[in-house]
């Protein structure tokens, strides 16, 4: 068997060099960072790889060398120059980077511009936001929201859980919404503190967990721990997700995501709407208590600031 064929066959076999200190190496990022410091021949190899990453994963040494216009030893030197043990190790790392980042490699093209003065991304972003809100209206059951709100209104304390990205921000937003109604509420946006907090809860307490994927292991473990100690659990999350299955009151919405990697995720509009619906339902359930709490907050705010303009009631 030719050496090039052996190299191609071996490239699909995992090696101990495929991981560094327990994590997958981002070889694409390494190539981009080191490209200017490589020799001219090695730069050609790097440019050929970045131009067509899926093709480079399948290439033999000879094929990659031909595409780059260099010798086969230059390909091997390139692999070692960027910290790989050889071509096999390089191709394994490249395949692993491709699994995570393929969506971002060929996403330079902007969406088609509409027939208006607005930039091309304007319409799609607003359209995605409108669509997310329509999905909440279509999918979410008012009775489910009401039952969850009754649990919140009757709780000794409420703890909101959210990890990373928009989930942590929405967990804080839920805290800000609920405290105005006089609810004793705290936010835990950190995994270890979340777990410790869960261990202190009991049957009079409520956990509100938020997760776009519904698959975050640390979040699910903390929720399950709190539920094991008797706390009532609520989740704002994806439909048919592990988190939805792990709680007493799943408030779920499925929202299709855009493939434009430069635009924000639209699901956060949906989850913010769910948080607002749950908060408003809690306020209506509490009734006079919630109104008195809001009155005190507004009274304190007006006395602190000059002027007599009444700010939005929800803020």
């Amino acid at each position: 068997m030719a050496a090039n064929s052996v190299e191609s066959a071996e490239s699909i076999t995992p090696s101990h060099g495929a991981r560094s200190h327990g994590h997958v190496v981002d070889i694409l990022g390494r190539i981009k960072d080191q490209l200017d410091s490589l020799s001219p021949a090695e730069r050609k190899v790097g440019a050929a790889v970045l131009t067509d990453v899926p093709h480079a994963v399948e290439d033999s040494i000879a094929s990659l060398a031909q595409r780059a216009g260099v010798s086969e030893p230059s390909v091997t030197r390139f692999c070692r120059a960027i910290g790989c043990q050889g071509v096999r190790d390089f191709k394994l790392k490249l395949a692993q980077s491709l699994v995570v980042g393929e969506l971002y490699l060929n996403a330079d093209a902007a969406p088609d511009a509409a027939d208006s003065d607005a930039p091309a991304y304007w319409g799609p972003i607003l359209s995605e936001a409108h669509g997310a809100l329509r999905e909440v209206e279509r999918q979410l059951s008012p009775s489910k929201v009401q039952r969850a709100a009754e649990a919140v209104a009757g709780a000794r304390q409420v703890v909101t859980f959210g990890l990373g990205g928009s989930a942590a921000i929405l967990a804080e937003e839920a805290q800000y919404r609920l405290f105005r109604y006089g609810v004793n509420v705290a936010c835990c946006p950190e995994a270890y503190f979340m777990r410790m907090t869960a261990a202190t809860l009991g049957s009079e307490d409520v956990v509100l967990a938020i997760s776009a994927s519904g698959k975050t292991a640390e979040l699910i473990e903390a929720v399950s721990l709190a539920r094991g100690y008797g706390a009532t659990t609520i989740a704002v999350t994806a439909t048919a997700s592990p988190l939805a299955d792990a709680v007493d009151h799943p408030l779920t919405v499925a929202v299709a995501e855009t493939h434009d990697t430069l635009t924000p995720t639209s699901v956060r509009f949906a989850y913010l709407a769910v948080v607002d619906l749950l908060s408003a339902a809690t306020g209506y359930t509490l009734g006079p208590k919630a109104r008195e709490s809001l009155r005190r907050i507004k009274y304190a705010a007006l006395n602190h600031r000059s002027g007599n303009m009444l700010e939005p009631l929800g803020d």
Side-chain angles (χ1 to χ4, degrees):
M1 183 180 288
N4 290 343
S5 298
V6 172
E7 188 69 46
S8 179
E10 288 180 341
S11 69
I12 63 173
T13 304
S15 70
H16 294 296
R19 293 176 181 268
S20 175
H21 303 294
H23 63 86
V24 177
V25 174
D26 180 8
I27 201 66
L28 291 174
R30 185 176 292 181
I31 294 171
K32 292 177 180 180
D33 289 343
Q34 298 184 10
L35 197 62
D36 290 341
S37 65
L38 300 176
S39 71
E42 292 164 357
R43 279 201 298 273
K44 289 182 179 179
V45 178
V49 170
L50 294 175
T51 298
D52 192 343
V53 178
H55 196 171
V57 171
E58 301 298 330
D59 271 341
S60 64
I61 295 178
S63 298
L64 182 55
Q66 184 178 12
R67 284 204 301 120
V70 300
S71 66
E72 292 180 28
S74 294
V75 174
T76 302
R77 285 193 293 270
F78 161 78
C79 296
R80 291 173 178 164
I82 61 172
C84 298
Q85 297 174 3
V87 177
R88 183 183 68 176
D89 185 33
F90 163 70
K91 291 177 72 176
L92 181 59
K93 288 184 171 68
L94 188 63
Q96 291 168 333
S97 287
L98 187 60
V99 169
V100 176
E102 185 173 11
L103 181 62
Y104 296 87
L105 295 175
N106 300 307
D108 293 334
D112 295 333
D115 295 330
S116 70
D117 294 333
Y121 56 80
W122 193 270
I125 288 178
L126 296 177
S127 177
E128 291 289 337
H130 295 160
L133 295 177
R134 285 194 298 270
E135 289 304 316
V136 172
E137 187 174 14
R138 185 176 70 85
Q139 298 180 37
L140 193 61
S141 165
S143 61
K144 288 185 176 181
V145 174
Q146 184 57 41
R147 286 195 293 271
E150 289 168 0
V152 171
R156 177 182 62 180
Q157 64 173 329
V158 176
V159 184
T160 63
F161 288 174
L163 289 176
S166 59
I169 296 172
L170 287 170
E172 290 186 352
E173 178 69 17
Q175 178 192 20
Y176 296 150
R177 293 296 109 197
L178 292 172
F179 96 86
R180 290 171 169 79
Y181 300 129
V183 175
N184 180 20
V185 56
C187 177
C188 291
E190 192 277 322
Y192 192 60
F193 185 48
M194 193 178 292
R195 191 177 184 87
M196 291 191 296
T197 300
T200 70
L201 303 179
S203 59
E204 297 180 285
D205 304 317
V206 168
V207 168
L208 171 58
I210 303 173
S211 172
S213 70
K215 299 177 182 178
T216 307
E218 297 89 344
L219 183 65
I220 295 170
E221 290 171 2
V223 168
S224 299
L225 184 63
R227 193 178 186 187
Y229 281 112
T232 300
T233 51
I234 304 167
V236 179
T237 190
T239 303
S241 64
L243 178 58
D245 293 337
V247 300
D248 301 299
H249 301 283
L251 305 179
T252 61
V253 181
V255 178
E257 286 296 341
T258 177
H259 292 292
D260 187 343
T261 58
L262 296 180
T263 58
T265 175
S266 59
V267 74
R268 76 192 197 285
F269 291 109
Y271 289 174
L272 180 58
V274 177
V275 167
D276 279 353
L277 290 169
L278 176 62
S279 300
T282 301
Y284 275 99
T285 300
L286 290 169
K289 176 186 175 183
R291 294 182 187 278
E292 174 59 15
S293 180
L294 286 170
R295 185 196 66 79
R296 293 186 183 191
I297 290 172
K298 288 304 173 184
Y299 181 80
L302 286 174
N303 277 333
H304 177 70
R305 298 178 183 179
S306 59
N308 57 5
M309 287 292 294
L310 186 63
E311 296 176 352
L313 288 175
D315 293 322

